[in-house]
Amino acid sequence: MSNPQQLRYSKEHEWLTATENGVSTVGITEYAANALGDVVYAQLPEVGETVTAGETCGELESTKSVSDLYAPVTGEVIEANQDVVDDPSLVNSAPFEGGWLFKVRVAEEPKELLTADEYAEFSGN
C-alpha cells in the first residue's frame, strides 16, 4: 500500500491535499478503505456546513460495519463528492482519486497531521 507523499494524514485515517487557494480535498486512506470492506453507503457533510478538526462530519457504511468520518481540518464544506454518494464503492476502488469525499475551505489546519511516512509507521503499512 502506498500513501501519496504530497498528502497529509490524520490519525483517524483521513487524507488531505495541500491547501490551494484556501481549499483542500479530503478522503479516507486506502488502509481505512480496506479495513472497512466494501463501502455501500456514504453520508457526507453538506455544502455550507462548518466542520471542525477531529469531530465527526459524516459516516461510511460497509458490509462489515459503520464508521464515522472525521474532519481533518476546520473549515466550510464547499463541495461534497456526489459520485461517491451515488457509487460508494469508489471509496474502495479509488480512495486517492475519484473516491475523495469533500472539499473544504480551510480555516484552521491542525499541527498534528502526519506525512505519508509518519502515517505508514502509525498505521503499520
Short mmCIF file of all heavy atoms in Angstrom, two decimals, residues 34-82:
data_model
loop_
_atom_site.label_atom_id
_atom_site.label_comp_id
_atom_site.label_asym_id
_atom_site.label_seq_id
_atom_site.Cartn_x
_atom_site.Cartn_y
_atom_site.Cartn_z
N ASN A 34 -9.69 -0.44 3.02
CA ASN A 34 -9.52 -1.89 3.10
C ASN A 34 -10.06 -2.44 4.42
O ASN A 34 -10.67 -3.51 4.45
CB ASN A 34 -8.06 -2.28 2.92
CG ASN A 34 -7.59 -2.10 1.49
OD1 ASN A 34 -8.38 -2.04 0.56
ND2 ASN A 34 -6.29 -1.97 1.32
N ALA A 35 -9.82 -1.72 5.52
CA ALA A 35 -10.30 -2.16 6.82
C ALA A 35 -11.83 -2.15 6.89
O ALA A 35 -12.43 -3.02 7.51
CB ALA A 35 -9.71 -1.28 7.92
N LEU A 36 -12.44 -1.17 6.23
CA LEU A 36 -13.90 -1.08 6.23
C LEU A 36 -14.55 -2.21 5.44
O LEU A 36 -15.62 -2.67 5.78
CB LEU A 36 -14.34 0.24 5.58
CG LEU A 36 -14.52 1.44 6.47
CD1 LEU A 36 -14.78 2.68 5.63
CD2 LEU A 36 -15.64 1.23 7.46
N GLY A 37 -13.91 -2.63 4.37
CA GLY A 37 -14.55 -3.57 3.46
C GLY A 37 -15.33 -2.80 2.41
O GLY A 37 -15.12 -1.60 2.22
N ASP A 38 -16.22 -3.45 1.72
CA ASP A 38 -16.96 -2.83 0.63
C ASP A 38 -17.91 -1.75 1.14
O ASP A 38 -18.89 -2.04 1.84
CB ASP A 38 -17.77 -3.88 -0.14
CG ASP A 38 -16.88 -4.88 -0.84
OD1 ASP A 38 -15.73 -4.53 -1.19
OD2 ASP A 38 -17.31 -6.03 -1.04
N VAL A 39 -17.62 -0.50 0.80
CA VAL A 39 -18.45 0.63 1.23
C VAL A 39 -19.73 0.65 0.39
O VAL A 39 -19.68 0.61 -0.84
CB VAL A 39 -17.69 1.97 1.12
CG1 VAL A 39 -18.60 3.14 1.49
CG2 VAL A 39 -16.45 1.95 2.02
N VAL A 40 -20.87 0.68 1.08
CA VAL A 40 -22.16 0.62 0.39
C VAL A 40 -23.00 1.88 0.59
O VAL A 40 -24.02 2.06 -0.07
CB VAL A 40 -22.98 -0.63 0.84
CG1 VAL A 40 -22.27 -1.91 0.43
CG2 VAL A 40 -23.24 -0.61 2.34
N TYR A 41 -22.56 2.77 1.50
CA TYR A 41 -23.33 3.99 1.76
C TYR A 41 -22.38 5.06 2.28
O TYR A 41 -21.50 4.78 3.10
CB TYR A 41 -24.42 3.72 2.81
CG TYR A 41 -25.16 4.96 3.25
CD1 TYR A 41 -26.12 5.55 2.45
CD2 TYR A 41 -24.89 5.53 4.49
CE1 TYR A 41 -26.80 6.68 2.85
CE2 TYR A 41 -25.56 6.67 4.91
CZ TYR A 41 -26.51 7.25 4.08
OH TYR A 41 -27.18 8.37 4.49
N ALA A 42 -22.55 6.28 1.79
CA ALA A 42 -21.73 7.40 2.25
C ALA A 42 -22.64 8.58 2.61
O ALA A 42 -23.44 9.02 1.79
CB ALA A 42 -20.75 7.82 1.16
N GLN A 43 -22.53 9.04 3.83
CA GLN A 43 -23.20 10.26 4.27
C GLN A 43 -22.09 11.30 4.45
O GLN A 43 -21.25 11.16 5.34
CB GLN A 43 -23.94 10.07 5.59
CG GLN A 43 -24.58 11.36 6.07
CD GLN A 43 -24.88 11.33 7.57
OE1 GLN A 43 -24.72 10.33 8.24
NE2 GLN A 43 -25.29 12.47 8.07
N LEU A 44 -22.06 12.29 3.57
CA LEU A 44 -21.01 13.30 3.57
C LEU A 44 -21.54 14.61 4.14
O LEU A 44 -22.75 14.86 4.12
CB LEU A 44 -20.50 13.51 2.14
CG LEU A 44 -20.01 12.26 1.42
CD1 LEU A 44 -19.58 12.59 0.00
CD2 LEU A 44 -18.89 11.58 2.19
N PRO A 45 -20.64 15.47 4.63
CA PRO A 45 -21.12 16.78 5.10
C PRO A 45 -21.70 17.57 3.94
O PRO A 45 -21.30 17.39 2.79
CB PRO A 45 -19.85 17.44 5.65
CG PRO A 45 -18.72 16.72 5.02
CD PRO A 45 -19.20 15.33 4.72
N GLU A 46 -22.64 18.43 4.24
CA GLU A 46 -23.33 19.21 3.21
C GLU A 46 -22.58 20.51 2.91
O GLU A 46 -21.89 21.07 3.77
CB GLU A 46 -24.75 19.53 3.67
CG GLU A 46 -25.61 18.29 3.79
CD GLU A 46 -27.04 18.62 4.12
OE1 GLU A 46 -27.48 19.77 3.90
OE2 GLU A 46 -27.75 17.70 4.58
N VAL A 47 -22.73 20.97 1.68
CA VAL A 47 -22.14 22.24 1.26
C VAL A 47 -22.66 23.34 2.19
O VAL A 47 -23.85 23.40 2.50
CB VAL A 47 -22.49 22.54 -0.21
CG1 VAL A 47 -22.05 23.95 -0.60
CG2 VAL A 47 -21.85 21.51 -1.13
N GLY A 48 -21.75 24.18 2.66
CA GLY A 48 -22.09 25.26 3.56
C GLY A 48 -21.93 24.90 5.03
O GLY A 48 -21.89 25.77 5.89
N GLU A 49 -21.85 23.61 5.32
CA GLU A 49 -21.67 23.14 6.69
C GLU A 49 -20.25 23.45 7.15
O GLU A 49 -19.30 23.35 6.39
CB GLU A 49 -21.93 21.63 6.73
CG GLU A 49 -21.88 21.01 8.10
CD GLU A 49 -22.22 19.52 8.05
OE1 GLU A 49 -22.93 19.07 7.12
OE2 GLU A 49 -21.74 18.81 8.94
N THR A 50 -20.11 23.82 8.42
CA THR A 50 -18.78 24.02 9.00
C THR A 50 -18.38 22.73 9.70
O THR A 50 -19.15 22.17 10.48
CB THR A 50 -18.80 25.18 10.02
OG1 THR A 50 -19.14 26.38 9.32
CG2 THR A 50 -17.43 25.36 10.66
N VAL A 51 -17.18 22.24 9.37
CA VAL A 51 -16.64 21.05 10.02
C VAL A 51 -15.51 21.49 10.94
O VAL A 51 -14.85 22.50 10.70
CB VAL A 51 -16.16 20.00 9.00
CG1 VAL A 51 -17.32 19.46 8.18
CG2 VAL A 51 -15.08 20.56 8.08
N THR A 52 -15.29 20.71 12.00
CA THR A 52 -14.27 21.03 12.99
C THR A 52 -13.28 19.88 13.08
O THR A 52 -13.69 18.71 13.19
CB THR A 52 -14.92 21.27 14.37
OG1 THR A 52 -15.88 22.32 14.23
CG2 THR A 52 -13.89 21.65 15.41
N ALA A 53 -12.01 20.22 13.02
CA ALA A 53 -10.95 19.20 13.06
C ALA A 53 -11.15 18.25 14.24
O ALA A 53 -11.39 18.67 15.36
CB ALA A 53 -9.58 19.86 13.16
N GLY A 54 -11.11 16.94 13.94
CA GLY A 54 -11.23 15.91 14.96
C GLY A 54 -12.65 15.53 15.31
O GLY A 54 -12.86 14.58 16.06
N GLU A 55 -13.63 16.24 14.76
CA GLU A 55 -15.03 15.93 15.07
C GLU A 55 -15.70 15.20 13.92
O GLU A 55 -15.32 15.35 12.76
CB GLU A 55 -15.79 17.21 15.41
CG GLU A 55 -15.32 17.83 16.71
CD GLU A 55 -16.19 18.96 17.18
OE1 GLU A 55 -17.26 19.23 16.59
OE2 GLU A 55 -15.78 19.62 18.17
N THR A 56 -16.74 14.42 14.24
CA THR A 56 -17.48 13.66 13.25
C THR A 56 -18.18 14.61 12.27
O THR A 56 -18.78 15.60 12.68
CB THR A 56 -18.54 12.79 13.95
OG1 THR A 56 -17.89 11.94 14.90
CG2 THR A 56 -19.30 11.93 12.95
N CYS A 57 -18.09 14.26 10.98
CA CYS A 57 -18.75 15.11 9.97
C CYS A 57 -19.51 14.28 8.94
O CYS A 57 -20.05 14.81 7.98
CB CYS A 57 -17.73 16.01 9.28
SG CYS A 57 -16.49 15.14 8.32
N GLY A 58 -19.55 12.98 9.13
CA GLY A 58 -20.25 12.11 8.20
C GLY A 58 -20.11 10.66 8.62
O GLY A 58 -19.67 10.38 9.74
N GLU A 59 -20.45 9.77 7.68
CA GLU A 59 -20.46 8.35 8.01
C GLU A 59 -20.26 7.53 6.75
O GLU A 59 -20.76 7.88 5.69
CB GLU A 59 -21.82 8.06 8.65
CG GLU A 59 -22.06 6.69 9.12
CD GLU A 59 -23.43 6.60 9.79
OE1 GLU A 59 -23.53 6.96 10.98
OE2 GLU A 59 -24.39 6.19 9.11
N LEU A 60 -19.52 6.45 6.89
CA LEU A 60 -19.37 5.48 5.81
C LEU A 60 -19.85 4.13 6.32
O LEU A 60 -19.47 3.71 7.42
CB LEU A 60 -17.91 5.37 5.37
CG LEU A 60 -17.30 6.62 4.74
CD1 LEU A 60 -15.81 6.41 4.49
CD2 LEU A 60 -18.02 7.00 3.47
N GLU A 61 -20.71 3.50 5.55
CA GLU A 61 -21.26 2.19 5.93
C GLU A 61 -20.74 1.16 4.95
O GLU A 61 -20.77 1.37 3.73
CB GLU A 61 -22.78 2.24 5.90
CG GLU A 61 -23.44 0.99 6.39
CD GLU A 61 -24.96 1.12 6.42
OE1 GLU A 61 -25.48 2.22 6.71
OE2 GLU A 61 -25.62 0.11 6.11
N SER A 62 -20.27 0.06 5.50
CA SER A 62 -19.76 -1.02 4.65
C SER A 62 -20.50 -2.30 4.96
O SER A 62 -21.35 -2.34 5.85
CB SER A 62 -18.25 -1.22 4.89
OG SER A 62 -18.04 -1.84 6.14
N THR A 63 -20.15 -3.34 4.24
CA THR A 63 -20.76 -4.64 4.50
C THR A 63 -20.32 -5.18 5.85
O THR A 63 -20.98 -6.05 6.40
CB THR A 63 -20.38 -5.64 3.40
OG1 THR A 63 -18.95 -5.69 3.29
CG2 THR A 63 -20.98 -5.25 2.06
N LYS A 64 -19.23 -4.62 6.42
CA LYS A 64 -18.72 -5.06 7.72
C LYS A 64 -19.23 -4.22 8.88
O LYS A 64 -19.52 -4.75 9.95
CB LYS A 64 -17.19 -5.00 7.75
CG LYS A 64 -16.48 -6.01 6.90
CD LYS A 64 -14.98 -5.83 7.11
CE LYS A 64 -14.17 -6.75 6.25
NZ LYS A 64 -12.73 -6.54 6.46
N SER A 65 -19.26 -2.90 8.69
CA SER A 65 -19.58 -2.02 9.82
C SER A 65 -19.93 -0.61 9.35
O SER A 65 -19.91 -0.31 8.17
CB SER A 65 -18.37 -1.94 10.76
OG SER A 65 -17.30 -1.28 10.12
N VAL A 66 -20.22 0.23 10.33
CA VAL A 66 -20.45 1.66 10.08
C VAL A 66 -19.29 2.40 10.75
O VAL A 66 -18.92 2.09 11.87
CB VAL A 66 -21.79 2.12 10.68
CG1 VAL A 66 -21.96 3.62 10.53
CG2 VAL A 66 -22.95 1.38 10.02
N SER A 67 -18.73 3.36 10.04
CA SER A 67 -17.60 4.10 10.57
C SER A 67 -17.86 5.60 10.46
O SER A 67 -18.34 6.08 9.42
CB SER A 67 -16.34 3.74 9.78
OG SER A 67 -15.23 4.46 10.26
N ASP A 68 -17.56 6.31 11.53
CA ASP A 68 -17.68 7.76 11.49
C ASP A 68 -16.59 8.34 10.60
O ASP A 68 -15.48 7.81 10.50
CB ASP A 68 -17.54 8.36 12.89
CG ASP A 68 -18.76 8.13 13.75
OD1 ASP A 68 -19.87 7.98 13.20
OD2 ASP A 68 -18.62 8.09 14.99
N LEU A 69 -16.91 9.45 9.96
CA LEU A 69 -15.97 10.21 9.16
C LEU A 69 -15.60 11.43 9.98
O LEU A 69 -16.48 12.13 10.48
CB LEU A 69 -16.64 10.61 7.84
CG LEU A 69 -15.87 11.49 6.89
CD1 LEU A 69 -14.60 10.78 6.42
CD2 LEU A 69 -16.75 11.86 5.71
N TYR A 70 -14.30 11.66 10.15
CA TYR A 70 -13.82 12.79 10.94
C TYR A 70 -13.20 13.85 10.05
O TYR A 70 -12.53 13.53 9.07
CB TYR A 70 -12.78 12.32 11.98
CG TYR A 70 -13.36 11.40 13.01
CD1 TYR A 70 -13.36 10.03 12.82
CD2 TYR A 70 -13.94 11.90 14.17
CE1 TYR A 70 -13.91 9.17 13.76
CE2 TYR A 70 -14.49 11.05 15.12
CZ TYR A 70 -14.47 9.69 14.91
OH TYR A 70 -15.02 8.86 15.84
N ALA A 71 -13.41 15.10 10.42
CA ALA A 71 -12.81 16.20 9.67
C ALA A 71 -11.34 16.34 10.09
O ALA A 71 -11.06 16.45 11.28
CB ALA A 71 -13.56 17.49 9.95
N PRO A 72 -10.41 16.35 9.13
CA PRO A 72 -9.01 16.54 9.49
C PRO A 72 -8.64 18.01 9.70
O PRO A 72 -7.58 18.31 10.23
CB PRO A 72 -8.25 15.95 8.30
CG PRO A 72 -9.19 16.07 7.16
CD PRO A 72 -10.57 15.99 7.73
N VAL A 73 -9.52 18.91 9.29
CA VAL A 73 -9.31 20.36 9.42
C VAL A 73 -10.62 21.03 9.79
O VAL A 73 -11.68 20.44 9.67
CB VAL A 73 -8.78 21.00 8.11
CG1 VAL A 73 -7.38 20.50 7.77
CG2 VAL A 73 -9.74 20.76 6.97
N THR A 74 -10.50 22.28 10.21
CA THR A 74 -11.67 23.10 10.48
C THR A 74 -11.92 24.01 9.28
O THR A 74 -10.98 24.58 8.73
CB THR A 74 -11.44 23.95 11.74
OG1 THR A 74 -11.27 23.06 12.85
CG2 THR A 74 -12.62 24.88 12.01
N GLY A 75 -13.17 24.09 8.86
CA GLY A 75 -13.49 24.97 7.74
C GLY A 75 -14.89 24.74 7.22
O GLY A 75 -15.67 23.96 7.78
N GLU A 76 -15.20 25.41 6.10
CA GLU A 76 -16.53 25.32 5.48
C GLU A 76 -16.48 24.38 4.28
O GLU A 76 -15.62 24.51 3.41
CB GLU A 76 -16.98 26.69 5.01
CG GLU A 76 -18.35 26.67 4.35
CD GLU A 76 -18.74 28.01 3.75
OE1 GLU A 76 -18.04 29.01 3.97
OE2 GLU A 76 -19.76 28.04 3.03
N VAL A 77 -17.42 23.43 4.25
CA VAL A 77 -17.52 22.50 3.13
C VAL A 77 -18.01 23.26 1.91
O VAL A 77 -19.03 23.94 1.96
CB VAL A 77 -18.48 21.34 3.47
CG1 VAL A 77 -18.67 20.42 2.26
CG2 VAL A 77 -17.95 20.56 4.66
N ILE A 78 -17.26 23.16 0.81
CA ILE A 78 -17.68 23.87 -0.41
C ILE A 78 -18.13 22.90 -1.50
O ILE A 78 -18.74 23.31 -2.47
CB ILE A 78 -16.57 24.80 -0.95
CG1 ILE A 78 -15.34 24.01 -1.36
CG2 ILE A 78 -16.23 25.88 0.07
CD1 ILE A 78 -14.41 24.79 -2.27
N GLU A 79 -17.83 21.59 -1.31
CA GLU A 79 -18.29 20.59 -2.29
C GLU A 79 -18.26 19.21 -1.64
O GLU A 79 -17.32 18.88 -0.93
CB GLU A 79 -17.38 20.61 -3.52
CG GLU A 79 -17.82 19.67 -4.62
CD GLU A 79 -16.91 19.72 -5.85
OE1 GLU A 79 -16.03 20.61 -5.93
OE2 GLU A 79 -17.08 18.86 -6.72
N ALA A 80 -19.30 18.43 -1.89
CA ALA A 80 -19.34 17.03 -1.50
C ALA A 80 -19.30 16.22 -2.79
O ALA A 80 -19.88 16.63 -3.79
CB ALA A 80 -20.60 16.72 -0.70
N ASN A 81 -18.61 15.09 -2.76
CA ASN A 81 -18.45 14.29 -3.97
C ASN A 81 -19.71 13.47 -4.23
O ASN A 81 -19.90 12.39 -3.66
CB ASN A 81 -17.23 13.38 -3.84
CG ASN A 81 -16.89 12.67 -5.13
OD1 ASN A 81 -17.65 12.67 -6.08
ND2 ASN A 81 -15.71 12.06 -5.16
N GLN A 82 -20.57 13.98 -5.10
CA GLN A 82 -21.84 13.30 -5.42
C GLN A 82 -21.59 11.94 -6.06
O GLN A 82 -22.39 11.02 -5.90
CB GLN A 82 -22.70 14.18 -6.33
CG GLN A 82 -24.10 13.64 -6.56
CD GLN A 82 -24.92 13.51 -5.28
OE1 GLN A 82 -24.93 14.40 -4.44
NE2 GLN A 82 -25.61 12.38 -5.14
#
